[in-house]
Amino acid sequence: MKKFAIFCLLILVVLSTTMVGCDTNEGKIRLNEVTHSIFYAPLYIAMNKGYFEDYGIEIELTNGGGSDQSMTALLSNSADIALLGPETAVYVASQGREDLPVVFGQLTKRDGSFIISKENKTFSWNDLIGKEILGGRTGGMPAMTLEYVLKNKGIFDQVNINYDVAFNNMTAAFIGGTGDYMTTFEPTGSTLEKNNQAYIATSVGLEAGEVPFTTFMATSSYLEDNPELIKNFLKAIMKGYNYLTTANIDDVVNALLPSFADSDREIIKSSLQNYIDIDAWVATPIMTQSSYDKLLDIMTMSGTLEERIPFSDIVDNTYAQEVINDMIAS
């Protein structure tokens, strides 16, 4: 629990010393993403197809390299919007602070990480028994979802989950010899496979089922000050999702290429297909009460949540619902 405690302390420091009012630059959004992954394909499609520009929005994209850092960027006013796991908003709300981060749109509906093995063989979850797996930060959604699956399989106490390797360093540590397995997002898994360094064994998200895994957040004050900007942002994301689900996969790969210059078409296509196969994305940005309840169940099971924070404290579906209503009306 040490890293979780450090995360909470970091949030408290940020809230008490750097929370300031938003200086809105109309039309420009500073967006911080928790990591750079094809898991977030609708966002990159919206950027590369010009959908944000259609609504007069300029996106300034930065990478947080983990939910704790992305939340810090949001709370310190280094970002206007953050794309990260909703568990971080629950942690901050539990501190009882004002002008809290609020989820205004959901992007993915299950864990986007895959179990990566150093051996190319048919995988069974029992293969993890007695092994070390790099699982991410304590209290982060990838680690908690992995724990949830292992507990449901009845093998949690027989697996050594390594929480000590920083998110951005996991792949290097794994290839360097740390751990027998790790969890990672695409395109890392497909890249490792192409280089014959490691192999995708299975999907964590497919086994865990649906849960609100990645969401767009902003502070309450930013949402109140920029309602039309927020709605137009979601409209662009919806256009990106619609293109993803209706266009030929090769055309979707073309739309993603500018955001993944270090990956070739083969890797992007493989990564994209892996996420299509697990039905990774939500059809609308509205988060449901039932999915939020499952999130809290997973957090409670992990031991990181003592008090269940009300849905209304974390999620504001007003903007997403208006976007859906506008799209239906048009």
Side-chain angles (χ1 to χ4, degrees), residues 165-178:
V165 181
F167 185 83
N168 281 351
N169 298 332
M170 284 174 59
T171 301
F174 183 68
I175 297 303
T178 303

Side-chain angles (χ1 to χ4, degrees), residues 104 243 251 312 326:
F104 66 87
Y243 185 87
D251 291 333
S312 58
D326 289 347

Side-chain angles (χ1 to χ4, degrees), residues 7 33-34 40 66-68 70-71 82-91 103 108 137 139-142 212-217 287 295 299 314:
F7 170 65
E33 59 179 0
V34 61
Y40 312 136
S67 284
D68 49 350
S70 291
M71 178 57 76
L83 174 64
L84 70 168
E87 80 284 355
T88 53
V90 175
Y91 293 144
V103 173
T108 64
R137 175 179 55 81
M141 276 306 293
F213 198 80
T214 328
T215 59
F216 293 107
M217 295 184 210
M287 185 188 291
L295 168 69
M299 296 178 70
I314 303 298

Side-chain angles (χ1 to χ4, degrees), residues 42-94:
L43 166 64
Y44 308 127
I45 292 170
M47 292 176 63
N48 298 332
K49 295 289 290 182
Y51 297 153
F52 286 113
E53 294 176 6
D54 291 344
Y55 294 104
I57 297 174
E58 176 189 353
I59 297 293
E60 180 183 291
L61 186 66
T62 56
N63 190 299
S67 284
D68 49 350
Q69 297 301 319
S70 291
M71 178 57 76
T72 299
L74 186 62
L75 295 178
S76 65
N77 195 35
S78 298
D80 303 313
I81 294 173
L83 174 64
L84 70 168
E87 80 284 355
T88 53
V90 175
Y91 293 144
V92 175
S94 69

Side-chain angles (χ1 to χ4, degrees), residues 84-303:
L84 70 168
E87 80 284 355
T88 53
V90 175
Y91 293 144
V92 175
S94 69
Q95 306 303 315
R97 299 291 169 163
E98 297 181 355
D99 198 17
L100 295 174
V102 175
V103 173
F104 66 87
Q106 184 175 332
L107 183 66
T108 64
K109 64 179 180 182
R110 66 179 78 248
D111 190 330
S113 57
F114 295 85
I115 301 287
I116 305 299
S117 171
K118 291 177 179 176
E119 297 183 70
N120 187 13
K121 66 175 187 177
T122 302
F123 176 79
S124 164
W125 284 93
N126 285 337
D127 291 342
L128 297 179
I129 294 175
K131 303 296 185 179
E132 179 185 11
I133 180 169
L134 308 187
R137 175 179 55 81
T138 300
M141 276 306 293
M144 291 191 294
T145 309
L146 175 63
E147 293 168 358
Y148 175 78
V149 172
L150 295 178
K151 288 173 182 177
N152 286 340
K153 295 287 185 183
I155 61 173
F156 174 73
D157 293 333
Q158 303 173 71
V159 179
N160 176 20
I161 303 178
N162 184 333
Y163 303 100
D164 295 331
V165 181
F167 185 83
N168 281 351
N169 298 332
M170 284 174 59
T171 301
F174 183 68
I175 297 303
T178 303
D180 303 294
Y181 297 86
M182 75 167 180
T183 61
T184 193
F185 294 83
E186 289 283 32
T188 302
S190 290
T191 301
L192 292 173
E193 278 199 334
K194 183 177 180 181
N195 295 335
N196 295 316
Q197 293 175 297
Y199 306 92
I200 297 175
T202 193
S203 162
V204 178
L206 201 58
E207 192 68 35
E210 293 190 17
V211 61
F213 198 80
T214 328
T215 59
F216 293 107
M217 295 184 210
T219 59
S220 298
S221 60
Y222 186 85
L223 293 174
E224 292 170 2
D225 291 343
N226 302 278
E228 292 305 314
L229 190 62
I230 290 296
K231 286 189 287 186
N232 286 335
F233 176 87
L234 289 177
K235 287 177 181 178
I237 294 294
M238 284 295 297
K239 288 182 70 173
Y241 169 80
N242 289 337
Y243 185 87
L244 169 63
T245 56
T246 58
N248 179 281
I249 190 169
D250 290 315
D251 291 333
V252 177
V253 170
N254 289 337
L256 290 170
L257 273 170
S259 296
F260 296 91
D262 294 335
S263 298
D264 61 29
R265 292 184 58 86
E266 178 185 343
I267 288 174
I268 294 175
K269 188 171 183 177
S270 171
S271 302
L272 183 61
Q273 189 62 58
N274 284 339
Y275 283 127
I276 292 173
D277 289 344
I278 68 169
D279 189 21
W281 305 282
V282 288
T284 79
I286 296 173
M287 185 188 291
T288 65
Q289 176 76 58
S290 60
S291 65
Y292 177 74
D293 288 342
K294 183 170 181 180
L295 168 69
L296 297 190
D297 290 343
I298 291 174
M299 296 178 70
T300 301
M301 182 182 288
S302 75

